[in-house]
Amino acid sequence: MVGLYDMHSHLLPGVDDGSPSEEVTRKLLEELEALGVEGVYFTPHIMAGNYEDNNRITLSRKFDEFVYKGPIKLKLAAEHLLDEKFPDHLQNGPLALAGEYVLVEFTLGGFPSNAFDTLFEISLQGYTPILAHPERYAFLQRREEMIGRLLDAGCKFQLNLLSLTGWHGEHAKKLANELIRQNAYEFVGTDMHAFPHLNAIKTLSVNVKQAEVIERLKENNLRLWQ
């Protein structure tokens, strides 16, 4: 965690299933500071049917209203579900990391039939898609040939540190280790929502190969802070 600029968290208070209040967020940031974290992107969910008020305007206002006086650098983006409302968010201007990278997710159980068309449209609009936590998707756990297709489509992969702890189950942990072996990841994030996530990450133990890859991914994260 030392020197980490986290690019995926749900710490913007009161907007999704992450931190419920400014007080909780500030306490989590204090803990992250103690672990050596230097920057955190707030990336709240934007998805149809949930958190209907979340969009570029409302989330930017919430971010501007959040009061924090600590040393961790904070930025705002969003985790966009590739659903029926996503084309509207894309046309209106997504909340992108560094103004260039769009953090996207699928539903955990299913792969949308228009996924590759949507990823292509993201590229046409001048953005690069980053797929959040690919190791968590059941369809990738079952059909690993899809991994190459997503990478060939220009999708960058983001590792969840939580997956390496086993938090999301053994299938996710196994695929995370395989993607690390393949050097398939480009970025790393905590996907932190609450204190149980923080406590799980504190227990994380990695081998030499994993540590080397995580250090490389931490360096890649710096591109998102320029």
Side-chain angles (χ1 to χ4, degrees):
M1 299 290 280
V2 174
L4 174 66
Y5 283 78
D6 191 6
M7 48 78 65
H8 184 179
S9 80
H10 294 269
L11 300 187
L12 184 64
V15 297
D16 61 6
D17 59 343
S19 171
S21 68
E22 290 195 9
E23 181 182 5
V24 169
T25 295
R26 283 191 286 267
K27 288 181 178 179
L28 284 165
L29 290 172
E30 288 176 5
E31 293 276 356
L32 291 173
E33 178 192 347
L35 293 175
V37 173
E38 297 190 20
V40 173
Y41 259 103
F42 293 167
T43 54
H45 290 291
I46 293 181
M47 57 176 62
N50 293 285
Y51 324 118
E52 292 288 354
D53 291 334
N54 285 2
N55 57 52
R56 167 185 282 277
I57 295 173
T58 60
L59 292 174
S60 296
R61 185 177 68 248
K62 288 277 191 179
F63 181 74
D64 291 340
E65 291 172 351
F66 175 61
V67 178
Y68 170 70
K69 298 180 181 179
I72 291 180
K73 299 178 178 66
L74 302 180
K75 289 195 174 190
L76 176 67
E79 183 179 16
H80 298 81
L81 181 65
L82 296 186
D83 55 24
E84 66 272 19
K85 294 289 187 179
F86 176 75
D88 293 335
H89 295 299
L90 183 61
Q91 290 299 322
N92 293 333
L95 276 170
L97 299 103
E100 178 182 353
Y101 296 87
V102 181
L103 185 65
V104 301
E105 65 175 337
F106 302 122
T107 58
L108 293 179
F111 186 74
S113 59
N114 65 339
F116 289 105
D117 291 336
T118 303
L119 293 173
F120 182 61
E121 185 62 30
I122 292 172
S123 299
L124 285 180
Q125 295 296 325
Y127 300 100
T128 300
I130 301 175
L131 180 61
H133 45 65
E135 70 277 354
R136 293 183 59 194
Y137 300 110
F139 61 86
L140 289 183
Q141 295 167 6
R142 295 191 302 266
R143 299 175 55 196
E144 293 189 22
E145 75 277 4
M146 293 290 292
I147 292 168
R149 292 186 61 192
L150 287 167
L151 292 171
D152 290 343
C155 209
K156 307 299 183 183
F157 283 2
Q158 174 248 309
L159 167 66
N160 261 19
L161 287 177
L162 274 171
S163 295
L164 294 179
T165 71
W167 180 275
H168 297 296
E170 287 304 311
H171 293 298
K173 183 177 181 179
K174 178 181 177 181
L175 183 53
N177 286 324
E178 176 59 22
L179 293 174
I180 285 174
R181 189 189 67 79
Q182 296 178 19
N183 287 317
Y185 288 113
E186 190 82 9
F187 302 105
V188 61
T190 63
D191 196 8
M192 189 172 299
H193 288 60
F195 276 101
H197 288 170
L198 175 67
N199 294 335
I201 288 174
K202 284 181 178 180
T203 70
L204 177 60
S205 177
V206 297
N207 60 36
V208 173
K209 169 65 175 178
Q210 291 170 328
E212 290 174 348
V213 169
I214 290 171
E215 288 303 310
R216 175 178 61 82
L217 301 183
K218 285 164 60 178
E219 292 181 7
N220 290 345
N221 279 17
L222 295 177
R223 303 206 306 260
L224 308 175
W225 289 81
Q226 296 173 353

